[in-house]
Amino acid sequence: MSHFRRSPRPPTQDAGGPRVLLLSPSPGRQNPDAARNLAVIAARLRAGGAELLRIEPPETPALTGARLTGAQLSGFGRSLWRTALGTRALGALDGVVVGQPDLIPAGVLAARLTGARRVPVLFHGTDMWTMRPHPRWLLRRDPLLYPVTTSSFGAGALGAVRLGAVLTPGLEQRWRDMLITEAGRRRPLPPVPTVLSVFRLDEWEAKGLPALVEAVAEARRVLGAVRLVVAGPGPAPGALRELVAASEHTELSENPGDEALARLYATADLFALCTRTRTSPPVSGETYGIALLEAQLAGCAVIGPARGGARDAYRNGDTGWTPSDESPRALARVLLDLLTDRARLARAGRQAAEWASACTEPRAHTRAVFNALLGCEPAVAATAEDGLATGQPSRANGAPAIR
């Protein structure tokens, strides 16, 4: 059966606040990055005065393959029927938010049963390239549906299917506060410059780590010692451990907790995310790059991927820089230019902290969520504290990845 939950309205909720249904996968069926993004969006909706209802539709086997067999069609019909049972008692809704593209059929059904006028479909990353044919067809044809992506790059990539909206990711309040606190600490400049990269460790090749290791090695030939720290949720594959062990002044931080990760961001001279953009299998890419924003919040200037949507996550040439291409040589040129003037990097880090703090201000993000998903302003004024529940997954158990 569908799992149905009703989130109570905040005490300040006005009776005229919008009623919104969020269709989200069960915890075991969504990656940590998407789960965190959905949790932040749900908190913003509540903070702005929406009555948030939530359904976790059962698994839809018809969407697991490109061609639909008779058994898959039968399973798909049963799944939609169960979703209807959970939806029909909700009454009239202002909007149905589809938490991931595979749930588009359930979103269409929920909108028809509740009279919802808006059905935004949330795209969290490379799902815009891996979307199955049936949801893609519905997204193109149904007038209520429209995609909501995390960057202008993502919106452009889906433009041939459907024009949509851009909603940059927000951050859970406690994590944002922790990063801002770390940015405010004054530390002496260590003798050896440090470059940091953070990602899920099993994605080390797609995240461009071999190119980064080679680029840092080239920088060392000019500058001397340069420390490279690689951090993220593990377990780390054996090939990654071998690469780190064979690289001079290179360290691996596996499964750091939130405090340790925030400290790594704040004590690095430079954060580098070098993700390869590949639109065919194996698919990879950054449609936003939330780790870039987190690093800047902690006071660290950044280098973003040469391609993809990550340029929305920093001010190019001011708080962050972009290599001319994905080659180690292009990356090394940027590293050398920046690491030769660490005082300049420190100034850029301070500017990055100010910019990222403004970009992630909870009340502004609440307004952005309402405008992108419901086409209106919040029903009540959101407070600075967004009310996100504590106990969100640690970054060590789901590090910032593809956005």
Side-chain angles (χ1 to χ4, degrees):
M1 294 292 292
S2 299
H3 300 285
F4 171 70
R5 299 198 299 274
R6 181 185 298 266
S7 297
R9 299 186 184 192
T12 56
Q13 167 63 38
D14 183 273
R19 303 185 75 239
V20 183
L21 172 64
L22 173 61
L23 296 177
S24 64
S26 59
R29 292 173 51 211
Q30 55 186 323
N31 68 57
D33 304 304
R36 236 180 350 262
N37 197 28
L38 285 173
V40 172
I41 287 173
R44 301 291 191 250
L45 288 169
R46 289 192 296 267
E51 179 185 1
L52 184 65
L53 308 124
R54 195 162 182 166
I55 288 181
E56 296 171 357
E59 198 161 350
T60 53
L63 303 181
T64 60
R67 296 180 180 276
L68 306 184
T69 66
Q72 286 176 325
L73 284 170
S74 177
F76 184 39
R78 289 195 300 272
S79 174
L80 287 180
W81 174 248
R82 293 186 188 117
T83 301
L85 292 177
T87 304
R88 62 189 305 176
L90 299 181
L93 297 175
D94 296 285
V96 174
V97 178
V98 179
Q100 70 175 32
D102 277 0
L103 300 178
I104 285 176
V108 171
L109 174 64
R112 296 296 185 270
L113 290 172
T114 61
R117 295 164 293 177
R118 297 174 69 93
V119 188
V121 181
L122 301 180
F123 287 79
H124 306 282
T126 57
D127 43 10
M128 64 186 182
W129 294 317
T130 59
M131 185 171 35
R132 300 296 182 180
H134 183 55
R136 182 181 294 272
W137 183 87
L138 285 173
L139 183 60
R140 180 179 285 119
R141 298 298 183 90
D142 194 291
L144 295 181
L145 296 168
Y146 64 96
V148 177
T149 65
T150 56
S151 68
S152 54
F153 172 81
L158 279 166
V161 179
R162 194 66 170 266
L163 294 178
V166 174
L167 176 62
T168 57
L171 291 178
E172 182 262 327
Q173 183 73 39
R174 183 185 63 86
W175 176 232
R176 178 179 182 270
D177 290 345
M178 188 181 297
L179 292 168
I180 291 174
T181 299
E182 286 293 337
R185 299 185 193 279
R186 293 290 179 259
R187 297 179 173 90
L189 200 65
V192 178
T194 297
V195 177
L196 171 68
S197 195
V198 176
F199 48 80
R200 288 199 295 266
L201 297 180
D202 61 349
E203 297 181 347
W204 63 282
E205 291 181 292
K207 295 298 181 180
L209 183 60
L212 179 58
V213 167
E214 187 176 336
V216 171
E218 186 171 333
R220 290 190 188 111
R221 286 192 282 271
V222 177
L223 302 174
V226 175
R227 180 170 168 251
L228 174 60
V229 179
V230 179
L240 170 57
R241 293 184 180 279
E242 291 174 5
L243 177 64
V244 169
S247 305
E248 187 181 16
H249 302 299
T250 301
E251 304 168 22
L252 179 64
S253 178
E254 187 174 355
N255 297 320
D258 284 0
E259 291 184 5
L261 181 57
R263 197 173 307 115
L264 286 174
Y265 279 134
T267 55
D269 289 81
L270 192 57
F271 177 84
L273 188 62
C274 311
T275 310
R276 319 282 89 175
T277 299
R278 305 288 183 266
T279 60
S280 57
V283 170
S284 65
E286 300 290 345
T287 52
Y288 185 77
I290 193 70
L292 295 162
L293 195 61
E294 293 178 343
Q296 290 172 95
L297 267 177
C300 185
V302 301
I303 296 176
R307 301 190 180 97
R311 294 191 198 194
D312 283 9
Y314 55 91
R315 287 198 313 216
N316 197 35
D318 187 8
T319 70
W321 288 263
T322 310
S324 58
D325 57 56
E326 292 183 345
S327 69
R329 179 171 296 182
L331 180 57
R333 282 196 296 267
V334 179
L335 287 172
L336 281 168
D337 179 54
L338 297 174
L339 293 176
T340 50
D341 190 348
R342 296 178 71 191
R344 171 194 175 196
L345 267 184
R347 289 193 299 272
R350 290 191 291 271
Q351 292 173 341
E354 293 175 2
W355 179 81
S357 178
C359 287
T360 57
E361 200 277 319
R363 285 168 293 194
H365 192 246
T366 296
R367 291 193 296 272
V369 167
F370 270 74
N371 278 283
L373 303 187
L374 300 175
C376 65
E377 291 294 315
V380 298
T383 62
E385 171 62 53
D386 63 14
L388 238 180
T390 57
Q392 291 297 314
S394 166
R395 256 52 47 180
N397 296 320
I402 295 171
R403 292 266 188 206

